[in-house]
Amino acid sequence: MTRPGEEASVTSDFVRSYVITGGRTLPAGDQLALQTLVTIAPDRTLPLGASPEVKAIWELLGGGYLSVAEVAAHVALPVGVARLLLTDLLDQGHLLRRAEPPRAQNVERDTLEKVLNGLQSLIG
């Protein structure tokens, strides 16, 4: 709430996100879901002039695959901002994306009961 004579200010988080993304939004064909796993492509180097946020993402992904949601949480960025930065790196060939596993098929109830019975017999 502002006092008389004071101007309302825009929240710093909103301004920071706008500055980080340059005001851009995700492209319509964005292919990075929250559960998509990404990592740094082999033999790639940090892009010249990389922002502090991209540097943080780069260091984080140097250790292996992480989901888009995990990257956003670790670097303390809104998910949309992290997705945009990751999409940029992916489009530039700096990232690898692991294909999502196929959906699990339904298993018959009697098969699950046999597995459960087998486990119970092992436990005793």
Side-chain angles (χ1 to χ4, degrees):
M1 185 171 181
T2 60
R3 296 181 185 174
E6 290 182 357
E7 291 183 31
S9 63
V10 177
T11 63
S12 62
D13 288 340
F14 178 75
V15 172
R16 180 172 175 252
S17 296
Y18 185 85
V19 171
I20 292 170
T21 63
R24 297 177 300 135
T25 59
L26 286 167
D30 175 52
Q31 300 173 357
L32 292 179
L34 294 178
Q35 69 275 14
T36 302
L37 299 175
V38 292
T39 193
I40 302 296
D43 302 324
R44 299 302 290 202
T45 58
L46 182 67
L48 293 175
S51 68
E53 294 79 16
V54 170
K55 289 178 184 177
I57 289 170
W58 194 270
E59 290 176 15
L60 184 64
L61 292 178
Y65 281 92
L66 286 176
S67 72
V68 171
E70 290 172 312
V71 171
H74 283 293
V75 295
L77 288 173
V79 173
V81 174
R83 284 177 63 196
L84 181 62
L85 297 176
L86 290 168
T87 297
D88 288 346
L89 290 169
L90 185 66
D91 290 346
Q92 296 164 6
H94 295 296
L95 293 184
L96 295 177
R97 176 181 58 217
R98 182 175 283 176
E100 295 184 30
R103 281 187 79 81
Q105 296 178 358
N106 290 335
V107 178
E108 297 295 324
R109 182 182 175 99
D110 58 322
T111 303
L112 292 175
E113 287 175 354
K114 289 177 184 176
V115 170
L116 179 61
N117 293 337
L119 291 172
Q120 287 174 339
S121 69
L122 288 175
I123 294 172

